[in-house]
Amino acid sequence: MTTPDHPSPASQPPAPASRDRIYRSPLGLAGGVLLLLVVLWLGFDALFKGHGRIPWLALAGLILIVPLIVAFTLRPAVFANEDRLRVRNPFRVITLPWGEVAGLRSGFSNEVLAKSGAKYQLWAIPVSLRSRKKAARRQQRAAAEAARGGTPGGGGLGPWPLGLGGFSLRGPDTGPTRAETDQVMDDLRELLETRGEAEPAQGEVTVRWAYEVAAPAVAGAALLAILLATT
C-alpha cells in the first residue's frame, strides 16, 4: 500500500499565526543608545584609569545602571497581531489575547485595560502632548479652510486673510491631523474591535517578570551598597 504524494489537510501543520506589528519609540531608542555610550565611556574610563576603590565603584555602577538604561529605553516594545497583544515593558512581558482586553485608554500615558480590571502601561507608545497640539492645530486650520471653501492645506480660492490674488501665502500643510501615537492606539483599537470575539483570540492573560533585567540591576545595587558601606 502506497502513501499519497500530498498529505491530507488534517495531517498538515496549522497555518502560522499572523505576523506581529511591532511598535517602538524611535526617540527612546536613540536616547538609550546615547546614554549607553556616555555611561560606558565614563565607566570604562574610571574602571581602567581609576585608583583605589574607584574601579570597583565604577564596576558596581555599570552593573546597576546599564540594565536600567536598557530596560527603560531599548527594551520596551508592543507586538500586536490578530490573536493577541504582547506588551514588553521594562520589567515585565504581558500577553493579552484580544478576548481579554476591555479597552485601550489614552491620557497622559497609553494603557491597555484587561477585563479582570488590571491595567498595563504601554511604555513603547509614549504620549507626546506637543504632537497632539500640532495635530490639533492642523485640524483647526483644515476645518477653517474647508469652511471658507478653499482646499485644505492652502492654495485654494477664498477670502484668505494673508492672501495675494486669492491665494494663501502660507505653504501647504500636509502633516498628519492625528498625533502618531494616537494613530497607533487607533490601529490597536481597530484590531480589538475586529478580533475581540474571534475564537483564536481567546485565552488567559499571562505576565512574565524579566529577571534577566532585574537580577543584574539588583546585584549591582547590592555591590554598590556594600562598597559604600565599607568605605
Side-chain angles (χ1 to χ4, degrees), residues 60-91:
L62 287 173
I63 297 174
L64 169 63
I65 295 173
V66 169
L68 294 180
I69 293 176
V70 172
F72 285 95
T73 60
L74 305 182
R75 176 180 168 81
V78 172
F79 305 86
N81 61 28
E82 294 184 352
D83 297 337
R84 54 101 181 103
L85 177 72
R86 183 161 62 94
V87 181
R88 192 171 71 191
N89 280 345
F91 298 109

mmCIF file of all heavy atoms in Angstrom, residues 60-91:
data_model
loop_
_atom_site.group_PDB
_atom_site.id
_atom_site.type_symbol
_atom_site.label_atom_id
_atom_site.label_comp_id
_atom_site.label_asym_id
_atom_site.label_seq_id
_atom_site.Cartn_x
_atom_site.Cartn_y
_atom_site.Cartn_z
ATOM 1 N N ALA A 60 30.549 48.393 39.910
ATOM 2 C CA ALA A 60 29.225 48.249 40.515
ATOM 3 C C ALA A 60 28.219 49.193 39.868
ATOM 4 O O ALA A 60 27.061 48.831 39.625
ATOM 5 C CB ALA A 60 29.313 48.511 42.018
ATOM 6 N N GLY A 61 28.658 50.415 39.567
ATOM 7 C CA GLY A 61 27.758 51.368 38.919
ATOM 8 C C GLY A 61 27.336 50.910 37.535
ATOM 9 O O GLY A 61 26.167 51.062 37.154
ATOM 10 N N LEU A 62 28.281 50.360 36.774
ATOM 11 C CA LEU A 62 27.936 49.855 35.444
ATOM 12 C C LEU A 62 26.944 48.696 35.527
ATOM 13 O O LEU A 62 25.988 48.630 34.747
ATOM 14 C CB LEU A 62 29.201 49.405 34.710
ATOM 15 C CG LEU A 62 30.124 50.506 34.208
ATOM 16 C CD1 LEU A 62 31.409 49.908 33.647
ATOM 17 C CD2 LEU A 62 29.428 51.346 33.143
ATOM 18 N N ILE A 63 27.182 47.772 36.467
ATOM 19 C CA ILE A 63 26.268 46.629 36.607
ATOM 20 C C ILE A 63 24.868 47.086 36.989
ATOM 21 O O ILE A 63 23.867 46.476 36.587
ATOM 22 C CB ILE A 63 26.819 45.640 37.657
ATOM 23 C CG1 ILE A 63 28.159 45.059 37.183
ATOM 24 C CG2 ILE A 63 25.832 44.508 37.905
ATOM 25 C CD1 ILE A 63 28.836 44.185 38.209
ATOM 26 N N LEU A 64 24.780 48.196 37.730
ATOM 27 C CA LEU A 64 23.475 48.722 38.132
ATOM 28 C C LEU A 64 22.819 49.541 37.029
ATOM 29 O O LEU A 64 21.643 49.351 36.712
ATOM 30 C CB LEU A 64 23.641 49.582 39.386
ATOM 31 C CG LEU A 64 22.426 50.429 39.809
ATOM 32 C CD1 LEU A 64 21.237 49.534 40.163
ATOM 33 C CD2 LEU A 64 22.789 51.349 40.960
ATOM 34 N N ILE A 65 23.569 50.457 36.412
ATOM 35 C CA ILE A 65 22.970 51.452 35.525
ATOM 36 C C ILE A 65 22.677 50.905 34.135
ATOM 37 O O ILE A 65 21.618 51.198 33.556
ATOM 38 C CB ILE A 65 23.891 52.690 35.436
ATOM 39 C CG1 ILE A 65 23.981 53.364 36.808
ATOM 40 C CG2 ILE A 65 23.376 53.679 34.402
ATOM 41 C CD1 ILE A 65 24.985 54.493 36.857
ATOM 42 N N VAL A 66 23.595 50.096 33.581
ATOM 43 C CA VAL A 66 23.406 49.624 32.207
ATOM 44 C C VAL A 66 22.108 48.828 32.042
ATOM 45 O O VAL A 66 21.344 49.086 31.093
ATOM 46 C CB VAL A 66 24.638 48.820 31.740
ATOM 47 C CG1 VAL A 66 24.340 48.104 30.427
ATOM 48 C CG2 VAL A 66 25.838 49.740 31.576
ATOM 49 N N PRO A 67 21.780 47.848 32.920
ATOM 50 C CA PRO A 67 20.499 47.149 32.753
ATOM 51 C C PRO A 67 19.291 48.076 32.861
ATOM 52 O O PRO A 67 18.284 47.866 32.174
ATOM 53 C CB PRO A 67 20.510 46.118 33.892
ATOM 54 C CG PRO A 67 21.934 45.917 34.217
ATOM 55 C CD PRO A 67 22.573 47.245 34.006
ATOM 56 N N LEU A 68 19.379 49.105 33.705
ATOM 57 C CA LEU A 68 18.249 50.025 33.845
ATOM 58 C C LEU A 68 18.060 50.863 32.587
ATOM 59 O O LEU A 68 16.925 51.105 32.151
ATOM 60 C CB LEU A 68 18.466 50.933 35.060
ATOM 61 C CG LEU A 68 18.459 50.240 36.426
ATOM 62 C CD1 LEU A 68 18.686 51.247 37.540
ATOM 63 C CD2 LEU A 68 17.146 49.484 36.653
ATOM 64 N N ILE A 69 19.167 51.310 31.981
ATOM 65 C CA ILE A 69 19.044 52.069 30.733
ATOM 66 C C ILE A 69 18.435 51.198 29.645
ATOM 67 O O ILE A 69 17.535 51.624 28.914
ATOM 68 C CB ILE A 69 20.423 52.601 30.297
ATOM 69 C CG1 ILE A 69 20.923 53.645 31.290
ATOM 70 C CG2 ILE A 69 20.341 53.201 28.898
ATOM 71 C CD1 ILE A 69 22.320 54.155 30.982
ATOM 72 N N VAL A 70 18.918 49.958 29.537
ATOM 73 C CA VAL A 70 18.360 49.039 28.542
ATOM 74 C C VAL A 70 16.878 48.792 28.809
ATOM 75 O O VAL A 70 16.049 48.775 27.884
ATOM 76 C CB VAL A 70 19.148 47.714 28.543
ATOM 77 C CG1 VAL A 70 18.463 46.679 27.661
ATOM 78 C CG2 VAL A 70 20.575 47.943 28.067
ATOM 79 N N ALA A 71 16.517 48.614 30.083
ATOM 80 C CA ALA A 71 15.139 48.289 30.435
ATOM 81 C C ALA A 71 14.171 49.407 30.069
ATOM 82 O O ALA A 71 13.069 49.149 29.570
ATOM 83 C CB ALA A 71 15.041 47.982 31.933
ATOM 84 N N PHE A 72 14.578 50.657 30.299
ATOM 85 C CA PHE A 72 13.640 51.767 30.126
ATOM 86 C C PHE A 72 13.705 52.421 28.752
ATOM 87 O O PHE A 72 12.819 53.223 28.422
ATOM 88 C CB PHE A 72 13.885 52.822 31.208
ATOM 89 C CG PHE A 72 13.362 52.428 32.566
ATOM 90 C CD1 PHE A 72 14.199 51.835 33.491
ATOM 91 C CD2 PHE A 72 12.032 52.612 32.890
ATOM 92 C CE1 PHE A 72 13.729 51.459 34.734
ATOM 93 C CE2 PHE A 72 11.550 52.235 34.131
ATOM 94 C CZ PHE A 72 12.399 51.650 35.059
ATOM 95 N N THR A 73 14.723 52.110 27.938
ATOM 96 C CA THR A 73 14.833 52.770 26.638
ATOM 97 C C THR A 73 14.836 51.794 25.466
ATOM 98 O O THR A 73 14.104 51.991 24.496
ATOM 99 C CB THR A 73 16.114 53.632 26.579
ATOM 100 O OG1 THR A 73 17.270 52.788 26.773
ATOM 101 C CG2 THR A 73 16.098 54.705 27.645
ATOM 102 N N LEU A 74 15.656 50.754 25.520
ATOM 103 C CA LEU A 74 15.788 49.839 24.389
ATOM 104 C C LEU A 74 14.813 48.676 24.445
ATOM 105 O O LEU A 74 14.416 48.149 23.400
ATOM 106 C CB LEU A 74 17.222 49.292 24.320
ATOM 107 C CG LEU A 74 18.347 50.330 24.272
ATOM 108 C CD1 LEU A 74 19.699 49.636 24.147
ATOM 109 C CD2 LEU A 74 18.138 51.310 23.136
ATOM 110 N N ARG A 75 14.426 48.252 25.622
ATOM 111 C CA ARG A 75 13.610 47.052 25.766
ATOM 112 C C ARG A 75 12.127 47.247 25.436
ATOM 113 O O ARG A 75 11.522 46.380 24.804
ATOM 114 C CB ARG A 75 13.754 46.511 27.191
ATOM 115 C CG ARG A 75 12.875 45.322 27.491
ATOM 116 C CD ARG A 75 13.090 44.842 28.927
ATOM 117 N NE ARG A 75 12.067 43.900 29.312
ATOM 118 C CZ ARG A 75 12.069 42.611 28.988
ATOM 119 N NH1 ARG A 75 13.042 42.119 28.266
ATOM 120 N NH2 ARG A 75 11.094 41.817 29.377
ATOM 121 N N PRO A 76 11.472 48.348 25.829
ATOM 122 C CA PRO A 76 10.021 48.462 25.628
ATOM 123 C C PRO A 76 9.607 48.305 24.170
ATOM 124 O O PRO A 76 10.201 48.881 23.263
ATOM 125 C CB PRO A 76 9.704 49.871 26.150
ATOM 126 C CG PRO A 76 10.772 50.143 27.155
ATOM 127 C CD PRO A 76 12.004 49.516 26.570
ATOM 128 N N ALA A 77 8.571 47.506 23.964
ATOM 129 C CA ALA A 77 8.009 47.291 22.629
ATOM 130 C C ALA A 77 6.607 46.735 22.789
ATOM 131 O O ALA A 77 6.270 46.132 23.815
ATOM 132 C CB ALA A 77 8.879 46.335 21.808
ATOM 133 N N VAL A 78 5.792 46.947 21.777
ATOM 134 C CA VAL A 78 4.434 46.409 21.739
ATOM 135 C C VAL A 78 4.305 45.585 20.466
ATOM 136 O O VAL A 78 4.611 46.075 19.374
ATOM 137 C CB VAL A 78 3.374 47.526 21.780
ATOM 138 C CG1 VAL A 78 1.981 46.953 21.538
ATOM 139 C CG2 VAL A 78 3.413 48.263 23.109
ATOM 140 N N PHE A 79 3.875 44.331 20.616
ATOM 141 C CA PHE A 79 3.700 43.418 19.485
ATOM 142 C C PHE A 79 2.209 43.087 19.387
ATOM 143 O O PHE A 79 1.605 42.635 20.362
ATOM 144 C CB PHE A 79 4.505 42.134 19.697
ATOM 145 C CG PHE A 79 5.971 42.358 19.961
ATOM 146 C CD1 PHE A 79 6.425 42.612 21.249
ATOM 147 C CD2 PHE A 79 6.885 42.328 18.931
ATOM 148 C CE1 PHE A 79 7.773 42.817 21.504
ATOM 149 C CE2 PHE A 79 8.236 42.529 19.173
ATOM 150 C CZ PHE A 79 8.679 42.777 20.463
ATOM 151 N N ALA A 80 1.637 43.313 18.225
ATOM 152 C CA ALA A 80 0.208 43.071 18.040
ATOM 153 C C ALA A 80 -0.021 42.263 16.776
ATOM 154 O O ALA A 80 0.557 42.562 15.725
ATOM 155 C CB ALA A 80 -0.556 44.396 17.961
ATOM 156 N N ASN A 81 -0.840 41.221 16.885
ATOM 157 C CA ASN A 81 -1.292 40.504 15.701
ATOM 158 C C ASN A 81 -2.783 40.236 15.849
ATOM 159 O O ASN A 81 -3.449 40.822 16.718
ATOM 160 C CB ASN A 81 -0.480 39.216 15.468
ATOM 161 C CG ASN A 81 -0.599 38.233 16.619
ATOM 162 O OD1 ASN A 81 -1.604 38.195 17.335
ATOM 163 N ND2 ASN A 81 0.412 37.415 16.815
ATOM 164 N N GLU A 82 -3.336 39.393 15.032
ATOM 165 C CA GLU A 82 -4.780 39.184 15.032
ATOM 166 C C GLU A 82 -5.266 38.381 16.233
ATOM 167 O O GLU A 82 -6.478 38.320 16.476
ATOM 168 C CB GLU A 82 -5.204 38.482 13.742
ATOM 169 C CG GLU A 82 -4.993 39.333 12.499
ATOM 170 C CD GLU A 82 -5.502 38.654 11.243
ATOM 171 O OE1 GLU A 82 -5.873 37.465 11.339
ATOM 172 O OE2 GLU A 82 -5.538 39.305 10.188
ATOM 173 N N ASP A 83 -4.359 37.761 16.983
ATOM 174 C CA ASP A 83 -4.773 36.921 18.101
ATOM 175 C C ASP A 83 -4.512 37.531 19.461
ATOM 176 O O ASP A 83 -5.257 37.271 20.408
ATOM 177 C CB ASP A 83 -4.068 35.553 18.034
ATOM 178 C CG ASP A 83 -4.455 34.773 16.796
ATOM 179 O OD1 ASP A 83 -5.546 35.047 16.244
ATOM 180 O OD2 ASP A 83 -3.669 33.905 16.364
ATOM 181 N N ARG A 84 -3.453 38.325 19.583
ATOM 182 C CA ARG A 84 -3.120 38.808 20.917
ATOM 183 C C ARG A 84 -2.267 40.061 20.848
ATOM 184 O O ARG A 84 -1.703 40.419 19.813
ATOM 185 C CB ARG A 84 -2.406 37.717 21.719
ATOM 186 C CG ARG A 84 -1.190 37.135 21.025
ATOM 187 C CD ARG A 84 0.072 37.710 21.583
ATOM 188 N NE ARG A 84 1.259 37.188 20.928
ATOM 189 C CZ ARG A 84 1.939 37.851 20.031
ATOM 190 N NH1 ARG A 84 1.517 39.031 19.643
ATOM 191 N NH2 ARG A 84 3.038 37.356 19.484
ATOM 192 N N LEU A 85 -2.195 40.707 22.000
ATOM 193 C CA LEU A 85 -1.361 41.886 22.201
ATOM 194 C C LEU A 85 -0.285 41.517 23.224
ATOM 195 O O LEU A 85 -0.601 41.039 24.308
ATOM 196 C CB LEU A 85 -2.206 43.056 22.705
ATOM 197 C CG LEU A 85 -1.476 44.363 23.027
ATOM 198 C CD1 LEU A 85 -1.022 45.028 21.735
ATOM 199 C CD2 LEU A 85 -2.397 45.313 23.798
ATOM 200 N N ARG A 86 0.970 41.720 22.857
ATOM 201 C CA ARG A 86 2.060 41.418 23.774
ATOM 202 C C ARG A 86 2.797 42.711 24.085
ATOM 203 O O ARG A 86 3.277 43.399 23.189
ATOM 204 C CB ARG A 86 3.015 40.381 23.184
ATOM 205 C CG ARG A 86 4.132 39.964 24.121
ATOM 206 C CD ARG A 86 4.745 38.632 23.694
ATOM 207 N NE ARG A 86 5.351 38.717 22.381
ATOM 208 C CZ ARG A 86 6.643 38.985 22.166
ATOM 209 N NH1 ARG A 86 7.449 39.187 23.185
ATOM 210 N NH2 ARG A 86 7.120 39.038 20.937
ATOM 211 N N VAL A 87 2.862 43.032 25.366
ATOM 212 C CA VAL A 87 3.440 44.292 25.829
ATOM 213 C C VAL A 87 4.740 43.977 26.564
ATOM 214 O O VAL A 87 4.720 43.298 27.594
ATOM 215 C CB VAL A 87 2.465 45.036 26.766
ATOM 216 C CG1 VAL A 87 3.076 46.354 27.222
ATOM 217 C CG2 VAL A 87 1.129 45.265 26.076
ATOM 218 N N ARG A 88 5.848 44.457 26.023
ATOM 219 C CA ARG A 88 7.135 44.262 26.683
ATOM 220 C C ARG A 88 7.533 45.562 27.347
ATOM 221 O O ARG A 88 7.996 46.495 26.708
ATOM 222 C CB ARG A 88 8.194 43.821 25.667
ATOM 223 C CG ARG A 88 9.485 43.314 26.322
ATOM 224 C CD ARG A 88 10.397 42.697 25.290
ATOM 225 N NE ARG A 88 10.974 43.712 24.408
ATOM 226 C CZ ARG A 88 11.632 43.432 23.291
ATOM 227 N NH1 ARG A 88 11.771 42.180 22.903
ATOM 228 N NH2 ARG A 88 12.135 44.408 22.544
ATOM 229 N N ASN A 89 7.343 45.613 28.655
ATOM 230 C CA ASN A 89 7.666 46.772 29.465
ATOM 231 C C ASN A 89 9.044 46.579 30.101
ATOM 232 O O ASN A 89 9.662 45.525 29.940
ATOM 233 C CB ASN A 89 6.578 46.984 30.517
ATOM 234 C CG ASN A 89 5.362 47.675 29.925
ATOM 235 O OD1 ASN A 89 5.415 48.231 28.846
ATOM 236 N ND2 ASN A 89 4.246 47.624 30.634
ATOM 237 N N PRO A 90 9.558 47.574 30.847
ATOM 238 C CA PRO A 90 10.911 47.444 31.395
ATOM 239 C C PRO A 90 11.161 46.168 32.186
ATOM 240 O O PRO A 90 12.221 45.552 32.032
ATOM 241 C CB PRO A 90 11.036 48.687 32.283
ATOM 242 C CG PRO A 90 10.180 49.703 31.609
ATOM 243 C CD PRO A 90 9.024 48.935 31.059
ATOM 244 N N PHE A 91 10.216 45.745 33.021
ATOM 245 C CA PHE A 91 10.478 44.593 33.881
ATOM 246 C C PHE A 91 9.454 43.470 33.730
ATOM 247 O O PHE A 91 9.511 42.501 34.480
ATOM 248 C CB PHE A 91 10.528 45.029 35.353
ATOM 249 C CG PHE A 91 11.629 46.010 35.633
ATOM 250 C CD1 PHE A 91 11.329 47.337 35.906
ATOM 251 C CD2 PHE A 91 12.956 45.629 35.599
ATOM 252 C CE1 PHE A 91 12.342 48.253 36.161
ATOM 253 C CE2 PHE A 91 13.980 46.530 35.852
ATOM 254 C CZ PHE A 91 13.666 47.853 36.134
#
